Amino acid sequence: MNETQNTPELRFEGFTEPWRRQKLGDISDIRTGSSDVQDAVEGGRYPFFIRSDEVIRSNKYVFDCEAILTPGEGRIGEVFHYCNGKFDCHQRVYKISDFKNVEAKFVLYDLQHSFKKHAMRNTVKATVDSLRLPTLMDFELVAPKSVEEQRQIASLFWHLDDSIALYRRRYKRLQRLKQALLRKMFPKPGEQVPELRFEGFTEPWEQRKFKDIVTIERGGSPRPIEDFVTDSPNGLNWVKIGDAPSLGRYITRTAEKIRPEGLSKTRQVYPGDLILSNSMSFGRPYIMAIEGCIHDGWLLIRDTTKQLDPIYLCQMLGTPQMFNQYRSLAAGSTVNNLNKELVGNAVVPIPCKEEQKVIGKVLDDLDNLVILHQHKYERLQHLKQALLRKMFI
């Protein structure tokens, strides 16, 4: 916080007065809750009892004027708020209420903007994971003198939070729908048809060992890799795990390139090839949209017989049924990563090519919806953080 600044960079029209500084302890009541969860709940004193781990785990947001703040649990000074009405909280959570001549929701967003860094600066090193009450009481809140200006600022962020929560709920629901469809649109082990099927398709699915219908090869790395990394435009795209998108299934660019001389020590891949991370804890399949080379953290899966739709294949490899097979095939061994033999021995379900295309398109379209809503959610979060920096001191 700039100790001399008394107006924010961005304000609503019509407000020009400098903001004033007040200690949080002078304009609100601050206290910790009870340490006895059972007494609070069973005694019926409070409909809600908030533990610090519940706050941190669920990121609950309130719908009225109370603010609660975590004093520890590794996330010092994180600000949350809870629902209107009577509630108590755990002794490791501060409840801030009974605000005097200040809009409570404005205080909430001011705390979200500035309190954590203040708390870290003013918390003694020996107790860096604990926020002390005097630190909280002495925190200087910088607020407009006009309560109306406070309300307009708070209202803007309140509605922004509503939009953020909306898009977060949407993409989370779509993610759950995707997982449910992956379980229902592919046959269970030992079965020849899935639980959910598109109209017009009735033939039983084939069950084939994966190695009988695709070529599976492990990637490789020229060493020492530092000697092969290049900025030259004729370098080969060097596909690393970090180049895989967090959402979506296509590798479209790489952060690094390697010199063509390293090609003999690695594995070249082409658009349409699938690559699979060989870590069993990850194991996500991706479709190459560019040419490149993969290191030994990847497996190449190439459909040389052209029996498979690439999008279907990519979606099928990401099903819970496939991961369960990998675990089953690796049971009793010391294998911690996927390898060519383990993946090749997995049995894969294969419908006709036309059914593959329909399944692949539906799941790919659903992926695109998930990506769209998550991107909107993330953009709104970035917008909120930018506005917090510009509209608060």
Side-chain angles (χ1 to χ4, degrees):
M1 181 187 296
N2 185 335
E3 301 296 340
T4 62
Q5 187 177 349
N6 61 8
T7 57
E9 182 179 343
L10 184 63
R11 295 181 84 170
F12 284 103
E13 188 175 355
F15 299 104
T16 57
E17 278 192 299
W19 289 18
R20 62 184 173 188
R21 297 173 183 274
Q22 296 172 286
K23 288 187 177 181
L24 188 58
D26 293 337
I27 60 169
S28 66
D29 176 67
I30 307 173
R31 65 179 180 84
T32 56
S34 166
S35 62
D36 195 333
V37 177
Q38 289 301 113
D39 282 353
V41 176
E42 293 176 4
R45 298 198 310 271
Y46 302 101
F48 305 105
F49 189 95
I50 313 305
R51 298 194 306 268
S52 54
D53 61 326
E54 287 179 327
V55 173
I56 290 169
R57 183 173 62 251
S58 61
N59 273 3
K60 292 175 179 173
Y61 277 87
V62 238
F63 306 100
D64 216 325
C65 66
E66 304 286 7
I68 59 177
L69 186 138
T70 64
E73 303 292 338
R75 285 176 59 174
I76 184 170
E78 295 284 357
V79 181
F80 305 87
H81 55 310
Y82 198 63
C83 64
N84 185 26
K86 196 175 182 183
F87 71 93
D88 198 10
C89 49
H90 190 271
Q91 63 180 350
R92 288 182 64 80
V93 176
Y94 288 113
K95 177 181 177 182
I96 308 168
S97 59
D98 297 331
F99 297 99
K100 304 173 184 68
N101 300 316
V102 65
E103 172 65 28
K105 291 175 184 176
F106 176 87
V107 176
L108 169 73
Y109 291 111
D110 196 325
L111 290 173
Q112 285 188 8
H113 164 63
S114 60
F115 190 79
K116 186 170 184 178
K117 59 186 178 183
H118 169 89
M120 293 300 291
R121 231 181 13 244
N122 292 278
T123 302
V124 294
K125 186 174 181 181
T127 58
V128 72
D129 290 327
S130 178
L131 174 61
R132 294 179 175 179
L133 184 59
T135 301
L136 186 54
M137 297 281 289
D138 287 340
F139 173 68
E140 273 197 330
L141 184 80
V142 191
K145 294 178 182 178
S146 165
V147 175
E148 180 57 31
E149 185 177 5
Q150 296 174 26
R151 286 174 180 155
Q152 288 192 29
I153 294 169
S155 178
L156 170 67
F157 283 96
W158 197 259
H159 287 98
L160 189 54
D161 271 348
D162 283 344
S163 295
I164 290 171
L166 172 66
Y167 282 110
R168 185 177 189 276
R169 286 195 302 272
R170 284 180 177 176
Y171 94 76
K172 288 293 184 182
R173 280 200 298 265
L174 288 168
Q175 283 181 318
R176 290 193 294 271
L177 174 61
K178 170 72 182 296
Q179 291 307 307
L181 289 177
L182 286 177
R183 289 190 294 271
K184 291 179 178 293
M185 291 177 66
F186 294 87
K188 295 176 182 177
E191 297 185 3
Q192 292 185 308
V193 293
E195 182 179 342
L196 183 63
R197 204 167 186 189
F198 290 99
E199 189 175 356
F201 298 105
T202 58
E203 293 294 316
W205 291 25
E206 286 189 75
Q207 304 288 328
R208 302 275 300 276
K209 278 198 173 182
F210 203 28
K211 65 184 179 182
D212 293 339
I213 54 173
V214 297
T215 298
I216 305 172
E217 299 291 350
R218 187 179 179 184
S221 301
R223 290 184 172 85
I225 187 60
E226 294 81 9
D227 292 348
F228 290 88
V229 174
T230 179
D231 294 326
S232 172
N234 70 342
L236 306 171
N237 291 315
W238 180 234
V239 186
K240 298 189 295 185
I241 299 297
D243 297 314
S246 58
L247 289 173
R249 296 291 186 182
Y250 295 90
I251 303 288
T252 58
R253 58 191 176 89
T254 62
E256 293 182 341
K257 296 178 181 289
I258 61 169
R259 291 190 288 114
E261 299 92 290
L263 182 58
S264 62
K265 301 293 185 181
T266 183
R267 182 79 56 186
Q268 192 163 15
V269 290
Y270 302 94
D273 284 341
L274 267 73
I275 58 174
L276 182 72
S277 163
N278 66 24
S279 167
M280 288 188 70
S281 61
F282 188 55
R284 281 173 57 90
Y286 294 93
I287 300 174
M288 291 299 303
I290 55 174
E291 290 188 25
C293 300
I294 55 172
H295 61 60
D296 46 15
W298 294 103
L299 294 175
L300 163 65
I301 298 171
R302 182 171 289 153
D303 177 22
T304 52
T305 62
K306 304 301 179 185
Q307 297 182 52
L308 300 169
D309 177 75
I311 299 175
Y312 168 85
L313 178 56
C314 190
Q315 296 288 352
M316 182 269 292
L317 289 174
T319 61
Q321 294 93 314
M322 289 301 297
F323 284 102
N324 289 338
Q325 276 202 74
Y326 298 151
R327 294 187 189 97
S328 177
L329 290 168
S333 73
T334 58
V335 175
N336 292 317
N337 295 321
L338 299 179
N339 56 45
K340 175 180 174 179
E341 291 72 26
L342 192 153
V343 174
N345 284 321
V347 175
V348 296
I350 308 173
C352 69
K353 193 76 170 282
E354 189 59 35
E355 189 171 4
Q356 292 178 34
K357 289 179 179 179
V358 174
I359 292 170
K361 184 178 187 312
V362 167
L363 294 176
D364 202 45
D365 287 347
L366 187 53
D367 279 344
N368 290 334
L369 272 179
V370 173
I371 294 169
L372 174 66
H373 285 85
Q374 180 156 3
H375 283 172
K376 287 182 177 179
Y377 163 71
E378 290 172 348
R379 283 197 295 268
L380 286 171
Q381 282 190 310
H382 292 320
L383 174 62
K384 178 183 176 180
Q385 293 307 311
L387 288 176
L388 283 172
R389 289 191 296 270
K390 290 180 178 293
M391 297 186 72
F392 288 85
I393 298 174

